[in-house]
Amino acid sequence: MIPPIARRFVAGESVPEALDHARARNDDGVAVILNLLGEHYDDPAAARADVDAYLALIDDIAASGLDACVSVKPSQIGLDISADLFEEHYREIVSRAHERDAFVWCDMEDAETTDDTLDAFESIATEYPWSVGQCLQSNLKRTHDDLERLVDVPGFVRLVKGAYDEPKSIAYTDKARVNEAYREDIEFLFERRDRGVAVGSHDPEMISLANRLGSTHDTDYEIQLLMGVREDAQRDLARQGVDVKQYAPYGEKWLSYFYRRVRERKENVLFALRAVVGR
Ligand code: FAD
C-alpha cells in the first residue's frame, strides 16, 4: 500500500485507483495524463508487459469517457534495448489510441535518447496526426532547432525546462539561462503554431506568459502540471477556462518516483506531511 505521504504524488498502485483519481480531477475541470511508473528496462519481456498495460489502459480510458490520456517513457517501452523496438512499441500504442480516439504523450529522457525519440515521434505523428505529443527540454541547446524541425509536424509538443543533469557542452546549466531559453521556446511555439502547444511547468511566470500569448496569438494550448504540485493553481486555472492537464503517475514502482519529488524540492515533503497531519 502507498503511504499517505507518497499518495499525494501518485494516483495509486492499480488501474482502478488511477481511473478514480482521473474522475476526481475531471470533477475539478482538470484532465489527467496517466503514466504507468517504470523505466530503463533491458528485458524485452518487461517492456512488452508495459506496452500491453498501456494498450489496456487506453481501452479502459476510451470506455470510461474520462478526460484522460497516457504518457509513456522511451526506456519503458524498449529504447534501452533498441531504437527499432522502441519505435515499434511507440507506434503500436499510438495506433491503438488513434483507433479509440484517445491520446498518447511521450516523455523525454536524457540527451542520449533525444535523436531516437524525435525520429520516432516525427514518423508516428505524420502517420497518426494529432494523436500523439512529444516532450522537449529547453535546457538542451539543440532544442530551438528541434522545435523548428517539428513546427509543421501534426503532433503536440510539451515544452519543459528539463529534469536531467546534462553536460555544459550540450545544455544550459545556469537556472536563469534555462529560464531564458524556456521563455524563448514558449514564444516560438505560440508564434509558429496555432494548436498543439503544451507548457509543462509549475512556474507562475511561465504559466502567465503562456496565458498571455495564448490570447494574443489565438493559439490552442494547455498547461500541464504534476500531481501533488500546486493543485490549487491547477483548479484555479481550470476555473478560469484554461485547458489544464495533470500528469499523474501510478503503479507499483512508486517509491523511486516519490524520492525524486522529494529530492527536487524539500517543501514537497513538508506539504505532504502537513496534509497527513491535517494542517
Ligand atoms: P522550477 O524552475 O523548478 O520552479 C520555478 C517556480 O515554479 C518556483 O520558483 C515555484 O514558484 C514554482 N514551483 C516549482 N515547483 C514547485 C513545487 N513543488 N511546489 C510549489 N511551487 C513550485 N522533464 C523532462 O526532462 N522530461 C519530461 O518528459 C518531463 N515531463 C514533464 C511533464 C510535466 C507535466 C511537468 C510539469 C514536468 C515535466 N518534466 C519533464 C519536468 C520539468 O523538466 C522540470 O524539471 C520541472 O517541471 C521543474 O521545472 P518548473 O518549470 O516546474 O519550475
Side-chain angles (χ1 to χ4, degrees):
M1 211 186 88
I2 305 179
I5 193 168
R7 192 66 177 72
R8 177 191 172 94
F9 302 105
V10 180
E13 282 185 307
S14 68
V15 170
E17 285 171 296
L19 295 177
D20 281 350
H21 175 78
R23 197 164 291 112
R25 295 292 69 74
N26 283 183
D27 288 346
D28 294 332
V30 173
V32 173
I33 304 169
L34 291 174
N35 166 252
L36 170 61
L37 289 162
E39 58 195 327
H40 294 302
Y41 296 143
D42 51 17
D43 174 7
R48 184 66 236 174
D50 278 17
V51 171
D52 288 339
Y54 278 118
L55 297 176
L57 180 62
I58 287 167
D59 290 347
D60 287 342
I61 289 173
S64 70
L66 288 168
D67 191 352
C69 57
V70 304
S71 200
V72 304
K73 280 205 174 347
S75 71
Q76 175 179 34
I77 60 167
L79 188 52
D80 285 1
I81 301 159
S82 79
D84 285 347
L85 185 69
F86 158 62
E87 184 165 341
E88 187 186 313
H89 285 157
Y90 191 179
R91 178 171 277 102
E92 189 179 348
I93 294 169
V94 176
S95 160
R96 175 70 63 89
H98 190 74
E99 267 171 42
R100 301 278 188 269
D101 206 14
F103 191 87
V104 178
W105 282 100
C106 184
D107 292 353
M108 185 62 86
E109 297 178 287
D110 66 85
E112 287 188 11
T113 68
T114 310
D115 279 328
D116 289 334
T117 306
L118 294 186
D119 288 350
F121 168 69
E122 185 169 7
S123 159
I124 294 167
T126 305
E127 196 174 336
Y128 300 104
W130 305 112
S131 294
V132 60
Q134 180 60 54
C135 181
L136 280 91
Q137 302 148 323
S138 288
N139 66 326
L140 296 187
K141 293 177 180 171
R142 60 176 286 167
T143 291
H144 184 76
D145 291 341
D146 290 332
L147 292 174
E148 283 274 7
R149 162 185 168 189
L150 297 177
V151 80
D152 294 321
V153 170
F156 281 60
V157 170
R158 173 206 298 155
L159 194 64
V160 299
K161 290 184 187 175
Y164 294 81
D165 286 332
E166 304 288 0
K168 276 196 161 94
S169 53
I170 58 163
Y172 306 116
T173 51
D174 171 63
K175 205 168 167 44
R177 185 65 188 92
V178 173
N179 283 336
E180 190 185 328
Y182 194 55
R183 262 181 239 111
E184 287 167 4
D185 290 341
I186 291 175
E187 282 163 6
F188 174 86
L189 284 177
F190 278 90
E191 272 162 26
R192 298 284 298 278
R193 294 191 132 210
D194 55 15
R195 67 183 292 196
V197 176
V199 173
S201 177
H202 311 109
D203 191 335
E205 183 205 330
M206 303 304 174
I207 294 173
S208 299
L209 175 64
N211 287 337
R212 210 166 50 245
L213 293 172
S215 50
T216 49
H217 291 284
D218 205 19
T219 302
D220 270 346
Y221 71 101
E222 60 193 56
I223 305 293
Q224 299 185 356
L225 302 95
L226 300 182
M227 179 179 175
V229 181
R230 301 196 66 216
E231 292 222 5
D232 289 350
Q234 299 183 21
R235 283 187 287 273
D236 286 348
L237 285 163
R239 265 196 295 273
Q240 290 158 30
V242 177
D243 186 356
V244 182
K245 290 201 170 57
Q246 180 188 93
Y247 182 108
Y250 75 98
E252 289 170 5
K253 301 186 183 82
W254 53 267
L255 192 58
S256 54
Y257 178 81
F258 172 60
Y259 280 143
R260 207 180 309 156
R261 295 279 76 78
V262 170
R263 271 202 317 273
E264 250 171 37
R265 217 174 151 89
K266 304 276 178 305
E267 293 95 310
N268 279 340
V269 179
L270 295 176
F271 285 136
L273 272 172
R274 265 189 223 120
V276 173
V277 296
R279 43 186 301 262

